[in-house]
């Protein structure tokens, strides 16, 4: 409730026409897109035994996302709070599920995740760059 009051006050005091400050790291486009790619890749590698993560690329993405969030003005404590937020985690899981479903992944069919993962790798998407076939 207190945070809401602070945000409302800040918006009222901000000059008209000024861009609004991001409220969470998820409001930063680079962070949001990177988190979604990582979440989708994680689901694929968990469902498909023949696809594994490219660990160094995942680690580099993590560092890029932290840097982007910090460049947007978020402190380490704010980033940690966002990462640990159960609602943010559930929202990201839902977005990843929708992304996968739109590409033909079926929770009842593990091989469908392999097909999506293979296509992502072949198309060199942001998700595919985080994965490799065994």
């Amino acid at each position: 409730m207190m945070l809401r009051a602070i945000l409302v006050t800040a918006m009222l005091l901000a000059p008209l026409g000024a861009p609004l400050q991001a409220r969470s790291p998820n409001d930063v486009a680079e962070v949001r897109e990177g988190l979604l790619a990582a979440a989708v890749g994680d689901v694929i590698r968990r469902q498909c035994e023949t696809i594994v993560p490219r660990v160094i690329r995942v680690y580099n993405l993590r560092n890029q996302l932290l840097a982007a969030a910090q460049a947007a003005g978020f402190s380490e404590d704010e980033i940690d709070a966002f990462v640990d937020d159960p609602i943010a985690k559930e929202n990201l899981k839902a977005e990843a599920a929708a992304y996968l479903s739109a590409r033909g992944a079926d929770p009842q069919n593990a091989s469908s995740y392999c097909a999506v993962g293979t296509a992502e790798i072949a198309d060199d998407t942001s998700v595919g760059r985080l994965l490799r076939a065994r």
Side-chain angles (χ1 to χ4, degrees), residues 52-76:
V52 295
R54 291 182 176 265
V55 177
I56 293 173
R57 288 187 183 180
V58 172
Y59 182 76
N60 287 339
L61 175 63
R62 174 196 171 275
N63 291 340
Q64 291 170 354
L65 299 181
L66 284 172
Q70 289 172 336
F74 293 99
S75 69
E76 287 184 36

Side-chain angles (χ1 to χ4, degrees), residues 1-128:
M1 191 67 169
M2 177 75 149
L3 179 59
R4 182 180 171 92
I6 292 169
L7 287 172
V8 169
T9 303
M11 289 186 331
L12 291 174
L13 296 176
L16 292 176
L20 292 177
Q21 190 78 2
R23 294 171 297 173
S24 84
N26 199 45
D27 294 336
V28 178
E30 181 180 353
V31 172
R32 181 179 185 77
E33 292 165 10
L35 288 173
L36 180 58
V40 170
D42 189 52
V43 172
I44 290 171
R45 68 124 185 134
R46 287 176 188 266
Q47 296 295 321
C48 179
E49 294 179 0
T50 61
I51 294 180
V52 295
R54 291 182 176 265
V55 177
I56 293 173
R57 288 187 183 180
V58 172
Y59 182 76
N60 287 339
L61 175 63
R62 174 196 171 275
N63 291 340
Q64 291 170 354
L65 299 181
L66 284 172
Q70 289 172 336
F74 293 99
S75 69
E76 287 184 36
D77 288 342
E78 290 171 318
I79 294 168
D80 288 342
F82 170 73
V83 169
D84 294 335
D85 180 15
I87 294 171
K89 286 179 185 179
E90 286 304 313
N91 289 341
L92 186 58
K93 283 182 186 178
E95 285 184 63
Y99 180 99
L100 288 161
S101 178
R103 285 156 182 78
D106 176 3
Q108 304 302 318
N109 181 359
S111 67
S112 67
Y113 289 89
C114 295
V116 173
T118 300
E120 294 284 330
I121 293 167
D123 293 343
D124 196 34
T125 65
S126 58
V127 173

